[in-house]
Amino acid sequence: MDLIEYIDSKRESNLEELKELLRIPSVSTKSEHKPDIERAAAWVAEKLRAAGLENVEIAPTKMHPLVYGESLHALGKPTVLFYGHYDVQPAEPLDLWTSPPFEPAVRDGKLFGRGTADDKGQVHIHLKALEALKNTFGSLPINVKVMIEGEEEVGSVSLWDFVRQNRERLKADALIVSDTAMLSKGVPSITYGLRGLNYYQIEITGPAQDLHSGIFGGAVPNPITILAEVIAKLHDRNFHVAIPGFYDDVTVPSRQERKALNALPWKEKEFRKTVGAPALSGEAGFSIVEQLWVRPTLEVNGIWGGYTGEGAKTVIPSKAYAKISTRLVPDQDPAKIAKLVERHIRKLLPKTVRCKFELLSTGKPWVAPYTHPIFQKAIHALESGFGKKAVFIREGGSIPFVTQMYDTFKVPCVLIGFGLPDENAHAPDEHLLLENYFAGIKAIALFYQQLAAL
Ligand code: BES
Ligand code: MN
Ligand code: MN
């Protein structure tokens, strides 16, 4: 049996195995899921061993363990580091799922469940590609290091420590990641830029405790009103972020790059349909693709406080909260931006309230050239798997580890995504197109095989 025949013969069993992983609710942000995180890490470790990797280790960190394994027997051949994450976002709101988030189900050629696209399904593509190579040829054609972490969705907080302590072990000729999306269905894509992310939480306190709004209303500050006023001032009419200095270090892409990005087979109509809003809003002067990929943003992710239960309760709340994030592009510096954001918000606040400002996580933007010969190998492999030539895209999401690896080792980072923009990552009814899952295993197996000739 050759490699492709082998992969085809495993379609059903691979899919069943992926469902096992999807049934583990490894939600990294919630402490009640700690046992599930541990179970998912153990599951990944077991599959790494099955794929022929050695020195498999479940490395504890301050938060969630990461799983590492390696196979270093291809003398004189390149070494790649594959990175992914086994943790997932919370599944709430549960009532919006057509089938339960942790009971994977196939409908319409799509596999539904939390983590299908982000990132368990994509990690599994690599595990099965490695296993196929090992079982077809008896050993792996290149040297492979695999690192699957459990904190990506909470900002990869412990990863910095791990990389610092394992510099030698993580050294590789290239980083391979599948945690992004294809430009659209049928268009295999290689991502060469990601935005960075700073995540903040603010707590506004007015009165020392909740107050009767009849007895006190009219004379005391309402922290919710004040928070809403501040938030409303963070953008101007053109949807520019109205924080002084915010754009100071933003690199405007070259004319040539803007032209290339705007010429991609990206479909505005599909995008509008996926968004589903009556109309779009974005920073004036930039195309949608530019707004998404090369411009920084500020978003309010959540706002709460006061009474939100059934019926009426007349109260002036003591506190109001918001979760805010900024997406960053080269060459914005996350630490500098965090200072600017905090300083500006404090300046906008009246003296009637106190403010606690926290930076929950931070991550740098990334963009890199794709001239290294490894990208040609990726294009060829994707063409064999998908029957289409790949395009080079940037994306608006963030993967802290990519920046970190690039900064530390300056190695080529090959981001091959098998998700689709409308697959509801982080949202109800997340899914993965099975066609991409199966083609992905073939493409990645061929990619690893062809890297032997690099
Ligand atoms: N896989 C995504 C990142 C992503 C999504 C890249 C879409 C490109 C396109 C990753 O799991 C993710 O969700 N990252 C978080 C950042 C993290 C620090 C919480 C994000 O981008 O919000
Ligand atoms: Mn992801
Ligand atoms: Mn994610």
Side-chain angles (χ1 to χ4, degrees):
M1 233 194 291
D2 74 8
L3 181 63
I4 297 301
E5 285 166 355
Y6 179 90
I7 293 171
D8 276 330
S9 78
K10 294 284 177 189
R11 276 172 76 100
E12 288 312 309
S13 58
N14 282 349
L15 182 57
E16 286 313 307
E17 189 184 284
L18 169 56
K19 287 182 189 170
E20 286 175 24
L21 177 59
L22 293 167
R23 284 190 195 102
I24 307 174
S26 46
V27 179
S28 48
T29 191
K30 295 194 178 166
S31 40
E32 74 212 59
H33 284 294
K34 189 73 188 166
D36 302 314
I37 284 278
E38 308 280 346
R39 262 200 305 146
W43 191 96
V44 170
E46 185 196 311
K47 299 307 166 199
L48 286 187
R49 284 188 202 102
L53 294 161
E54 298 159 0
N55 304 322
V56 174
E57 185 190 330
I58 301 176
T61 70
K62 277 197 216 108
M63 199 193 263
H64 300 319
L66 59 85
V67 187
Y68 177 85
E70 60 192 17
S71 170
L72 306 173
H73 301 294
L75 232 78
K77 300 294 180 191
T79 302
V80 299
L81 173 65
F82 168 66
Y83 162 87
H85 61 94
Y86 66 79
D87 66 321
V88 296
Q89 288 272 329
E92 287 77 10
L94 298 179
D95 53 314
L96 294 185
W97 285 79
T98 308
S99 52
F102 299 106
E103 293 173 28
V106 175
R107 293 190 294 278
D108 251 358
K110 299 164 183 162
L111 177 61
F112 285 82
R114 174 57 87 230
T116 46
D118 186 11
D119 181 34
K120 289 172 172 175
Q122 300 207 53
V123 165
H124 201 245
I125 286 174
H126 286 256
L127 300 186
K128 293 301 108 178
L130 289 171
E131 192 187 69
L133 285 164
K134 165 95 189 325
N135 288 344
T136 311
F137 302 112
S139 64
L140 293 179
I142 53 167
N143 302 300
V144 179
K145 300 175 173 183
V146 176
M147 189 180 119
I148 315 291
E149 73 152 316
E151 308 182 341
E152 198 278 340
E153 297 293 7
V154 287
S156 301
V157 268
S158 316
L159 208 63
W160 311 93
D161 284 344
F162 187 83
V163 172
R164 223 170 292 132
Q165 286 158 17
N166 292 273
R167 259 189 86 101
E168 280 312 304
R169 197 150 58 139
L170 295 179
K171 226 176 217 167
D173 300 305
L175 172 68
I176 317 284
V177 179
S178 287
D179 191 24
T180 50
M182 294 162 56
L183 183 66
S184 59
K185 197 175 160 179
V187 186
S189 310
I190 301 170
T191 298
Y192 69 92
L194 294 166
R195 290 192 287 193
L197 178 74
N198 273 0
Y199 205 103
Y200 322 94
Q201 178 160 326
I202 33 189
E203 178 189 302
I204 306 292
T205 309
Q209 71 283 313
D210 287 5
L211 300 171
H212 189 296
S213 69
I215 300 174
F216 293 92
V220 302
N222 184 318
I224 297 183
T225 310
I226 289 165
L227 178 60
E229 279 170 359
V230 167
I231 287 173
K233 285 179 189 148
L234 296 178
H235 291 89
D236 71 12
R237 282 158 193 280
N238 290 320
F239 297 104
H240 288 291
V241 176
I243 296 177
F246 188 75
Y247 292 97
D248 279 2
D249 302 322
V250 170
T251 307
V252 180
S254 69
R255 278 242 306 268
Q256 194 190 355
E257 185 181 9
R258 280 181 90 166
K259 216 173 128 190
L261 292 178
N262 287 317
L264 284 166
W266 181 84
K267 299 190 190 77
E268 179 164 341
K269 216 169 129 194
E270 258 175 43
F271 179 78
R272 287 180 184 271
K273 195 172 146 226
T274 306
V275 173
L280 298 179
S281 71
E283 194 189 354
F286 296 90
S287 70
I288 298 175
V289 163
E290 290 169 349
Q291 289 167 357
L292 299 172
W293 296 349
V294 305
R295 298 296 292 169
T297 62
L298 182 148
E299 299 288 346
V300 183
N301 303 102
I303 175 164
W304 73 103
Y307 183 67
T308 54
E310 201 179 332
K313 179 192 182 198
T314 48
V315 65
I316 296 173
S318 166
K319 289 179 189 293
Y321 301 85
K323 288 185 188 282
I324 292 178
S325 59
T326 46
R327 294 279 167 182
L328 309 176
V329 300
D331 289 317
Q332 286 178 301
D333 169 33
K336 185 173 161 191
I337 294 294
K339 278 202 198 99
L340 293 178
V341 173
E342 176 170 7
R343 193 198 306 153
H344 189 64
I345 286 177
R346 288 196 185 281
K347 217 169 113 188
L348 290 175
L349 284 168
K351 291 203 169 56
T352 48
V353 292
R354 276 186 297 274
C355 169
K356 182 168 146 199
F357 184 99
E358 284 174 281
L359 177 62
L360 299 188
S361 71
T362 170
K364 283 168 74 175
W366 167 75
V367 68
Y370 44 89
T371 45
H372 189 281
I374 192 171
F375 290 99
Q376 289 310 315
K377 300 279 180 201
I379 290 177
H380 284 141
L382 283 166
E383 202 165 351
S384 316
F386 286 80
K388 289 261 181 64
K389 201 155 174 92
V391 295
F392 284 92
I393 63 174
R394 285 171 72 159
E395 285 191 280
S398 312
I399 308 174
F401 184 66
V402 172
T403 319
Q404 206 177 331
M405 273 300 289
Y406 188 74
D407 284 355
T408 312
F409 300 108
K410 285 283 176 279
V411 290
C413 300
V414 189
L415 274 60
I416 305 177
F418 297 108
L420 289 173
D422 66 352
E423 287 183 334
N424 299 338
H426 294 201
D429 279 351
E430 177 181 349
H431 59 276
L432 178 67
L433 195 64
L434 283 174
E435 188 183 305
N436 288 343
Y437 168 70
F438 292 124
I441 298 176
K442 288 182 190 170
I444 292 299
L446 291 168
F447 180 47
Y448 285 144
Q449 188 185 20
Q450 289 166 12
L451 287 186
L454 196 66

